[in-house]
Amino acid sequence: MYSLSSQKKYWTFKTEQELADLRVGQNIRFITKHGAAMTDDQKQAHFLSADEERLLLKQYELQLKEFCKRFEPPMPKYVVGTAFHYFKRFYLNNSSMDYHPKEILATCVYLACKVEEFNVSIAQFVANIKGDRVKAMDIILSNELLLMQELNYYLTIHNPMRPIEGFLIDIKTRCNMNNPDRLRPGIEDFIDKTFLTDAPLMYAPSQIALAAVLHAASKEQENLDSYVTESLFGAAKDKLPVLIEAVRRVRSMVRTIELPQKERVRFLEKKLEKCRNQENNPDSQIYKQRMKKMYEDEDDLDVMGSSYHMNVSDVNLEVSQLNTTNPVNMTLD
C-alpha cells in the first residue's frame, strides 16, 4: 500500500520549495568542493547554477521519455514511471556535474526494467542505444550499484497506472458515462506530461490518477464532479478539500510545463563538459586510470585468495597425516 510505503515516507515532499532547496544544496556542495580555489566570478562562469542544472535535467527527462517510447520490445507505462522516479530521486541529492545525466538516465531505465520484471537482457537493452554498445553496457553496469545506493535501496515504486484502472472500472459501474475507455488516450497523454513535472515527488499515485481521469473527461466534454463528490467521497467529505487542491495543483503543473530551448541546452551541454567531475567521466584519463587500478586490485585479491586456499589445504593435509600417524593426537575414552 502506498500509505505505508517507503515512497510516501521518504520520497514524497510537501512543497516545491522543499525540492528546490535540495537541488540548490547539492549544487552548492559540488561547487564548494571543486571550485575551492576560484573566485565567485570564476565559479559563476565555470559551473552550472542550480537553475541551469534543472533546465538541463528537463531536457534529459524528454530524452528519457523518447528512449522509452522507441524501446524494443515495447515498454509498459509502469516501467517508464519507475525509471522517471529513479531519475528524479537521484538528482535531488546529486549534481549533474558529478554524474552526467545521459549515463544515469540509461541506468535508471535498466534498473526499472529489472525491478518491474520487464525481462530484457543487458544485450537486448543496449541494442536500443546508438553508438558504442559495449561502452554503454560497461557504464550502465558500473553505475547500477551507485544508483541503488543513492536511492537508499528503496526501489519499489507506486505508479498511477493501477489507480487509473480502478477509477475506470468504478466509473463503468457507478457512472452513466458512455464508453469510459474513450478517456484512455487523454489519460495516457496527461500521465506522460506528469513525468516532466515534480508531481510524482509530491502527490500520491491515486491523486495523480484522478487528476488524469478528470482532465481526460473534460476533454471529452464529460463532467465527473458528482461522481467525485457523491460516489467517491460521499462518506468522507472532510477529505474532499485536500483532494481537490491536490488535483488542481497537478493539473496546473502539467498545464505550465516549459520545454527548454534548444540553443540554451546546447550552451549548457558545452558548459557541462568543461565543469563535470572528470573522475566520473568514462572518457577521461583520470577515470580510466582509476578503473584500471580497481581491476588490478581485484586481480591481486583473487591471487591472494587462491594462495590462501592453497595454504589452508596444505595445512589440513599435514594435520590429517599427523592425526593418523602420531598416537599423541589420539583421544582416549
Side-chain angles (χ1 to χ4, degrees), residues 172-208:
K172 290 175 184 178
T173 304
R174 297 198 286 176
C175 226
N176 293 324
M177 181 186 297
N178 179 37
N179 187 22
D181 283 328
R182 63 195 166 94
L183 302 182
R184 288 187 182 277
I187 291 172
E188 290 183 7
D189 180 65
F190 186 90
I191 292 298
D192 284 345
K193 289 176 180 175
T194 63
F195 293 151
L196 304 177
T197 73
D198 281 333
L201 296 173
M202 295 179 62
Y203 298 101
S206 57
Q207 293 172 332
I208 296 172

Side-chain angles (χ1 to χ4, degrees), residues 100-291:
H100 201 294
K102 68 182 177 184
E103 294 156 12
I104 298 300
L105 181 159
T107 309
C108 288
V109 180
Y110 180 66
L111 182 59
C113 290
K114 293 173 74 172
V115 170
E116 297 291 356
E117 298 183 356
F118 177 55
N119 296 316
V120 291
S121 67
I122 186 63
Q124 284 177 296
F125 186 89
V126 298
N128 289 273
I129 297 175
K130 297 177 182 178
D132 189 337
R133 289 168 179 166
V134 174
K135 180 181 175 183
M137 187 185 302
D138 289 341
I139 290 172
I140 290 168
L141 295 178
S142 64
N143 282 331
E144 188 177 9
L145 180 57
L146 166 71
L147 175 59
M148 289 191 288
Q149 289 172 335
E150 292 301 318
L151 298 175
N152 293 326
Y153 299 97
Y154 296 127
L155 305 181
T156 300
I157 301 296
H158 296 263
N159 282 297
M161 290 71 185
R162 184 172 293 177
I164 285 170
E165 294 304 318
F167 282 130
L168 290 176
I169 291 171
D170 196 45
I171 289 169
K172 290 175 184 178
T173 304
R174 297 198 286 176
C175 226
N176 293 324
M177 181 186 297
N178 179 37
N179 187 22
D181 283 328
R182 63 195 166 94
L183 302 182
R184 288 187 182 277
I187 291 172
E188 290 183 7
D189 180 65
F190 186 90
I191 292 298
D192 284 345
K193 289 176 180 175
T194 63
F195 293 151
L196 304 177
T197 73
D198 281 333
L201 296 173
M202 295 179 62
Y203 298 101
S206 57
Q207 293 172 332
I208 296 172
L210 184 57
V213 170
L214 295 177
H215 172 81
S218 68
K219 292 290 183 182
E220 294 291 328
Q221 281 74 53
E222 295 283 356
N223 191 320
L224 292 176
D225 289 351
S226 61
Y227 164 73
V228 174
T229 57
E230 301 302 327
S231 298
L232 286 182
F233 288 90
K237 291 192 182 291
D238 57 312
K239 297 181 180 179
L240 199 54
V242 174
L243 177 73
I244 291 172
E245 178 60 18
V247 168
R248 187 191 69 78
R249 286 292 303 130
V250 173
R251 294 182 71 176
S252 175
M253 293 168 87
V254 167
R255 189 168 54 250
T256 56
I257 291 174
E258 292 184 11
L259 300 180
Q261 297 178 349
K262 291 183 179 179
E263 290 184 8
R264 183 66 175 161
V265 168
R266 281 195 290 268
F267 170 77
L268 295 179
E269 288 276 16
K270 292 177 181 178
K271 192 174 182 180
L272 177 60
E273 287 304 318
K274 294 178 182 177
C275 68
R276 69 178 295 192
N277 184 359
Q278 294 303 310
E279 289 186 5
N280 297 325
N281 180 4
D283 294 325
S284 72
Q285 284 301 120
I286 297 174
Y287 179 91
K288 291 173 182 176
Q289 289 170 2
R290 180 164 64 87
M291 294 303 289

Side-chain angles (χ1 to χ4, degrees), residues 64-81 109 112-113 116-120 124-125 127-128 188:
L64 194 162
K65 177 184 172 183
E66 287 303 310
F67 176 73
C68 294
K69 184 178 179 180
R70 296 194 309 267
F71 196 88
E72 290 293 337
M75 187 178 291
K77 283 285 184 185
Y78 58 85
V79 179
V80 180
V109 180
C113 290
E116 297 291 356
E117 298 183 356
F118 177 55
N119 296 316
V120 291
Q124 284 177 296
F125 186 89
N128 289 273
E188 290 183 7

